[in-house]
Amino acid sequence: MAGPRVVIIGAGVVGAALADEISARGWTEVTVVDQGPLPATGGSSSHAPGLVFQTNASKTMTELARYTVEKFSSLEVDGKPCFLQVGGLEVATSPERLAEIQRRHGWLASWGIDSRLLNPDECVERHPLVDRDKILGGLFVPTDGLAKAVLAVEAQIRRATERGVRFLARHEVLDVRQSEGRVTGVVTDHGEIDADIVVCCAGIWGPKIARMVGMNLPLTPLAHQLAWTGPVPALAGQTEEAVRPILRHQDADLYYRDRYDGIGIGYYGHRPMPVSADDILSVDEAEEMPSVLKFTEEDFEPAWTETQSLLPATQEAKVEEGINGLFSFTTDGYPLLGESPQVKGFWVAEAVWVTHSAGVGRAVAEWLVDGYCSSFDLHECDVNRFEPHQLSPEYVLARDCQNFVEVYDILHPLQPSGDPRPIRTSPFYARQQAHGAFFLEANGWERPQWYEANAPLVEGRNIPTPNDWAARYWSPIVGAEAQATRESVALYDMTALKRLEVTGPGAAAFLERLCTGKIDKSVGSVTYTLLLDHDGGIRSDVTVARLARDRFQVGANGNLDLDWFSRHLPADGTVQVRDITAGTCCIGLWGPLAREVLQPLAEEDFSNEGLKYFRAKHAYIGAVPVTAMRLSYVGELGWELYTTADQGLKLWDTVWAAAQPLGGVIAGRGAFNSLRLEKGYRSFGTDMTYEHDPYEAGVGFAVKLDKDDFIGKAALQRRKADVRRRLTCLTIDDPRAVVLGKEPVYDGEHAVGYVTSAAYGYTVGKGIAYAWLPAGLAEPGTRLHIGYFDQRIEAVVAEEPLFDPTMSRLRG
């Protein structure tokens, strides 16, 4: 036996995959327990229809699915395959859906999955049951198919068992033991099993198990309808289980699969049917299995009507059986992976569908054994990504149900979130409403995108209107606000930026260990720096301001940064980390006239000599005490002004009163994004993630390899000399050809990369798109094309930054 003692709770498709993957990496002292029989345990895996569509806006989710396809294609049980690679076909019955499948085709090209756009005749050739007159086109993915989930569970159980893993069926988990903040074992109805690590793969029971260690999972089991027809005469004599592609009719929230001479029909168009994990029946109580609820025929009637229309051959058949099957939904549609922040050794791999199961098994196995995941970027999936309000029962239920409703909807990248809103508002909210702010949500914060009060600014300006898709959640006011920032001065609400405070006698040494830059500098210093994982991948980019000898303020990207800091705190108590965001607020005051606004309000010296670039100091702005940091994410002279939330409104009013006579404006996130791209500033989570290193991402200047050891340093020294891809600036001359991100970039007919962030540059007069490209194509002047729906948009690699390369405006 090797490795720590691991107990995996749940032997469904995720638990079996993890047991297989972790034992293949040498950890064999592993026990898997499940309350049900093996291999059909009674959870979602046991009734899942098995359709595996790899298409996803998320690169990570697509890669998890691709690995699942590859692995399941290699598995069999007694000569029976675990994957039927019949391909996947999505059909469009409306012009809007036709455009959407073109966009989805672009995602697949971006992520390296082969796919083809089909005309109606080609769709019918692939799936002859489809009524040719009903469809406008389709998207075909040859490697999609049907996962035989129960067989895949059995195959992976056999492999893990051969390596020494124990599987215990009919073992109900009653409790998870812990001592001094660490798991020690799992209590079942057959006794206790000692453990150093416990991984919850309990699926729809996940919230119930997690509560045993005080962990709140934002997961809701929801019922989803699945029906099976009797024999369809047109399929008479079909002896193979599946010969036609799995089929999605997303305009009607439907999907289909073969089952010999019948058809399976899945439906998401009905009302949400949430179920509490506590109310799910036990294996012995359930009539069929715990994850299967009684079929509600009245909810299925629209699905059957639409099915008979799209697939006329079904008019000669009947629905003979059906279930309301339980699946896991989360507030943002992504899985829940990672370790509890409170109880060491308790991990979760939850809200994972069959489509991504093997990929998740590999990801979590790597994370456990190596301390990080090298195969996938998991920042979207980390269970610790949520803000506290996102774990409230009301929020979780509302958003999980919304995600069920929207599962097949056409969603714009900027589409506002639904209820509950508003949740978090800055002290400036009333003033923003009075100025006609158009709000979008950022981590629960209501954040202005633009202000209708600035409509008069548009007159006389050249603000090109983008294409129809890019023009959603856009206004020409965005361009006017961006130009006005460069011309005079603007106020930006930066309150949604997460702020952490790191204090204590060990704070400087602690930050030196975690950050790539030099932090132990004079009081008043501000440092742009990176947080790296042990493999050299970027976990975040942050600013660290030394406000006192033993007190630092960190401008972070989200709750994962707080989690990262918290996990690395020294055991001796010499460092404390806390989230100060809710009690504080921030105004970004930027533009060439920013000093003329600020200096008359303060006795402190805000000249270039009085407060240099990337320095901070305490001051009074009128009656309000602030921490002023000379930073600018828009590439203009100015400051981030921080104060406590109770005095935020007074700060806003004071600064705004001084800015107005100088032609100052208030500006929103739309202008901010345009300006930051003109300046070439990266956004973590969009432009760079865990899978990228600083040299690829163009932020190598934030790494000081000559400083003492920091997390990721050794790996960086190996990676620095082998940069094969680069985050690259592309410009687009056509003012209507504004792209939004995730589009493929082509060199000739070959997709060679993908867009990260994009916007129109209202100062430079060009469209801007940052993209990951092979290093050999990242040379300025290289001409490429961006795939945008059914278009190919000309783009050229440009020197960056596009605006103020000498930094004269920032440093003046």
Side-chain angles (χ1 to χ4, degrees):
M1 296 291 184
R5 296 168 300 176
V6 179
V7 173
I8 298 172
I9 302 173
V13 74
V14 180
L18 176 57
D20 180 36
E21 296 283 345
I22 203 171
S23 61
R25 285 163 176 77
W27 283 16
T28 54
E29 197 166 343
V30 178
T31 302
V32 185
V33 297
D34 200 291
Q35 63 184 340
L38 299 177
T41 61
S44 300
S45 305
S46 301
H47 74 257
L51 289 82
V52 175
F53 288 95
Q54 298 165 85
T55 312
N56 199 291
S58 164
K59 182 173 185 282
T60 296
M61 295 298 280
T62 298
E63 290 176 341
L64 292 170
R66 172 164 45 197
Y67 182 77
T68 301
V69 167
E70 292 170 354
K71 182 176 184 180
F72 282 10
S73 296
S74 70
L75 299 178
E76 62 175 34
V77 175
D78 301 331
K80 294 177 287 189
C82 294
F83 193 75
L84 307 177
Q85 200 158 55
V86 292
L89 175 64
E90 299 180 34
V91 294
T93 59
S94 66
E96 295 79 12
R97 184 65 63 177
L98 185 63
E100 171 70 357
I101 65 173
Q102 292 164 347
R103 185 168 71 118
R104 295 166 70 81
H105 175 60
W107 296 341
L108 291 164
S110 292
W111 315 145
I113 302 286
D114 179 40
S115 66
R116 304 160 202 172
L117 290 169
L118 306 181
N119 62 37
D121 290 332
E122 291 170 323
C123 291
V124 174
E125 183 180 340
R126 296 279 181 186
H127 202 300
L129 298 189
V130 172
D131 185 343
R132 191 239 180 264
D133 294 335
K134 298 287 185 184
I135 60 173
L136 302 178
L139 172 65
F140 181 67
V141 183
T143 51
D144 285 349
L146 285 168
K148 307 291 292 179
V150 174
L151 278 181
V153 167
E154 184 173 358
Q156 292 175 102
I157 286 176
R158 290 186 181 186
R159 285 160 47 126
T161 301
E162 289 175 357
R163 302 186 192 107
V165 175
R166 289 194 307 162
F167 285 83
L168 303 179
R170 293 284 185 173
H171 278 60
E172 181 182 358
V173 173
L174 305 177
D175 198 8
V176 177
R177 295 283 192 223
Q178 53 182 302
S179 176
E180 298 181 352
R182 176 176 288 280
V183 297
T184 60
V186 172
V187 180
T188 77
D189 55 354
H190 290 274
E192 187 167 342
I193 306 169
D194 293 335
D196 305 303
I197 294 171
V198 174
V199 188
C200 178
C201 302
I204 53 179
W205 291 278
K208 183 177 179 180
I209 299 296
R211 280 201 306 272
M212 295 176 181
V213 297
M215 190 175 183
N216 189 4
L217 287 185
L219 180 160
T220 303
L222 281 112
H224 156 59
Q225 290 199 302
L226 175 66
W228 300 96
T229 71
V232 177
L235 305 182
Q238 181 174 319
T239 57
E240 294 182 58
E241 180 178 352
V243 296
R244 277 162 292 279
I246 53 176
L247 177 67
R248 277 203 282 194
H249 175 24
Q250 298 194 80
D251 279 324
D253 297 302
L254 286 161
Y255 63 77
Y256 305 95
R257 56 151 295 176
D258 285 7
R259 188 173 71 170
Y260 301 102
D261 62 352
I263 294 175
I265 307 167
Y267 185 44
Y268 287 105
H270 54 79
R271 60 191 167 91
M273 304 178 197
V275 175
S276 169
D278 296 316
D279 294 335
I280 301 172
L281 297 177
S282 70
V283 173
D284 293 328
E285 292 173 322
E287 183 175 335
E288 183 174 347
M289 64 179 74
S291 62
V292 169
L293 306 182
K294 184 179 178 181
F295 188 57
T296 51
E297 295 182 11
E298 63 277 11
D299 290 303
F300 194 73
E301 287 177 2
W304 183 233
T305 299
E306 181 61 28
T307 295
Q308 292 174 305
S309 175
L310 181 72
L311 309 176
T314 59
Q315 295 172 13
E316 301 180 64
K318 294 181 179 180
V319 173
E320 292 195 348
E321 55 183 303
I323 63 170
N324 288 5
L326 294 177
F327 289 95
S328 300
F329 281 79
T330 61
T331 56
D332 58 7
Y334 292 107
L336 308 174
L337 312 179
E339 188 180 21
S340 162
Q342 286 87 29
V343 180
K344 292 185 183 300
F346 184 83
W347 289 67
V348 299
E350 288 289 345
V352 181
W353 292 6
V354 172
T355 298
H356 310 103
S357 59
V360 165
R362 177 175 180 174
V364 175
E366 290 179 355
W367 200 348
L368 285 166
V369 175
D370 301 330
Y372 59 90
C373 177
S374 58
S375 296
F376 309 96
D377 161 36
L378 296 181
H379 85 275
E380 293 171 316
C381 307
D382 193 312
V383 70
N384 297 296
R385 64 189 181 269
F386 300 101
E387 296 292 322
H389 74 274
Q390 295 173 318
L391 300 175
S392 70
E394 178 185 347
Y395 182 95
V396 170
L397 180 60
R399 290 292 173 91
D400 288 358
C401 288
Q402 179 183 340
N403 276 330
F404 177 89
V405 170
E406 294 179 345
V407 70
Y408 277 177
D409 286 2
I410 299 171
L411 300 176
H412 191 276
L414 295 178
Q415 186 161 319
S417 303
D419 290 333
R421 278 184 71 188
I423 296 178
R424 309 173 84 181
T425 57
S426 79
F428 323 132
Y429 184 60
R431 299 293 187 265
Q432 292 165 344
Q433 287 180 305
H435 283 85
F438 179 83
F439 292 101
L440 296 179
E441 184 186 338
N443 286 326
W445 292 98
E446 295 296 317
R447 186 168 66 186
Q449 194 75 358
W450 70 80
Y451 294 88
E452 287 296 333
N454 288 328
L457 286 175
V458 176
E459 187 175 350
R461 296 180 182 273
N462 179 24
I463 309 294
T465 300
N467 58 81
D468 291 346
W469 183 250
R472 296 188 189 185
Y473 311 108
W474 174 89
S475 166
I477 297 170
V478 168
E481 290 176 358
Q483 292 179 356
T485 303
R486 297 261 189 249
E487 296 162 359
S488 56
V489 63
L491 280 69
Y492 288 83
D493 181 2
M494 300 299 292
T495 302
L497 173 72
K498 195 171 191 70
R499 292 170 291 285
L500 308 177
E501 185 179 71
V502 182
T503 56
F510 168 75
L511 289 167
E512 285 284 348
R513 170 67 178 152
L514 266 66
C515 297
T516 61
K518 184 69 174 173
I519 306 300
D520 193 2
K521 299 186 290 190
S522 63
V523 172
S525 64
V526 183
T527 306
Y528 173 80
T529 186
L530 307 174
L531 308 178
L532 304 181
D533 215 327
H534 293 274
D535 65 345
I538 300 170
R539 287 197 64 95
S540 191
D541 64 335
V542 299
T543 55
V544 180
R546 190 170 203 170
L547 303 182
R549 175 178 172 82
D550 295 337
R551 182 164 64 89
F552 297 79
Q553 182 171 310
V554 178
N557 281 298
N559 211 58
L560 289 179
D561 294 343
L562 174 61
D563 181 68
W564 185 251
F565 281 165
S566 299
R567 290 183 187 280
H568 289 86
L569 287 172
D572 60 10
T574 57
V575 183
Q576 297 81 43
V577 176
R578 68 186 184 104
D579 184 350
I580 61 171
T581 310
T584 56
C585 59
C586 179
I587 294 173
L589 178 68
W590 295 311
L593 302 183
R595 188 173 283 123
E596 295 181 42
V597 172
L598 196 64
Q599 187 61 78
L601 300 174
E603 293 185 1
E604 290 80 3
D605 184 3
F606 279 94
S607 69
N608 195 39
E609 294 73 26
L611 187 62
K612 296 183 182 296
Y613 186 52
F614 264 79
R615 297 288 296 179
K617 69 178 178 182
H618 299 293
Y620 286 92
I621 305 303
V624 181
V626 303
T627 298
M629 299 186 194
R630 192 170 166 195
L631 310 176
S632 174
Y633 208 50
V634 301
E636 292 290 341
L637 169 69
W639 299 268
E640 293 178 357
L641 305 174
Y642 296 90
T643 192
T644 52
D646 61 324
Q647 298 181 83
L649 189 57
K650 180 63 174 175
L651 177 63
W652 179 278
D653 289 345
T654 300
V655 176
W656 178 231
Q660 284 181 277
L662 298 175
V665 302
I666 52 177
R669 188 70 178 185
F672 179 92
N673 196 49
S674 170
L675 296 170
R676 71 103 177 164
L677 286 175
E678 289 184 331
K679 193 60 183 164
Y681 291 146
R682 277 66 167 142
S683 174
F684 177 80
T686 303
D687 298 316
M688 53 191 187
T689 66
Y690 294 2
E691 68 174 302
H692 306 116
D693 72 45
Y695 306 110
E696 298 171 328
V699 289
F701 64 87
V703 178
K704 308 303 179 187
L705 287 175
D706 59 347
K707 63 174 277 189
D708 290 339
D709 195 26
F710 57 85
I711 294 175
K713 180 179 179 180
L716 274 195
Q717 290 172 320
R718 295 190 298 269
R719 294 175 70 156
K720 184 177 181 180
D722 188 27
V723 176
R724 301 182 183 183
R725 57 183 174 178
R726 294 191 183 277
L727 184 61
T728 307
C729 179
L730 301 173
T731 58
I732 302 165
D733 288 334
D734 183 351
R736 282 188 52 80
V738 175
V739 300
L740 296 179
K742 303 188 177 182
E743 297 88 358
V745 179
Y746 291 91
D747 179 26
E749 293 301 311
H750 301 288
V752 293
Y754 59 92
V755 174
T756 57
S757 295
Y760 189 79
Y762 297 100
T763 312
V764 301
K766 292 178 180 290
I768 306 168
Y770 272 79
W772 280 101
L773 296 175
L777 293 175
E779 294 298 320
T782 303
R783 295 194 170 274
L784 302 165
H785 288 84
I786 298 172
Y788 188 66
F789 293 92
D790 60 344
Q791 306 171 37
R792 293 288 178 91
I793 296 171
E794 292 185 4
V796 62
V797 176
E799 291 274 9
E800 58 170 329
L802 300 172
F803 178 78
D804 189 27
T806 64
M807 305 281 281
S808 60
R809 295 174 73 102
L810 277 169
R811 298 180 183 276

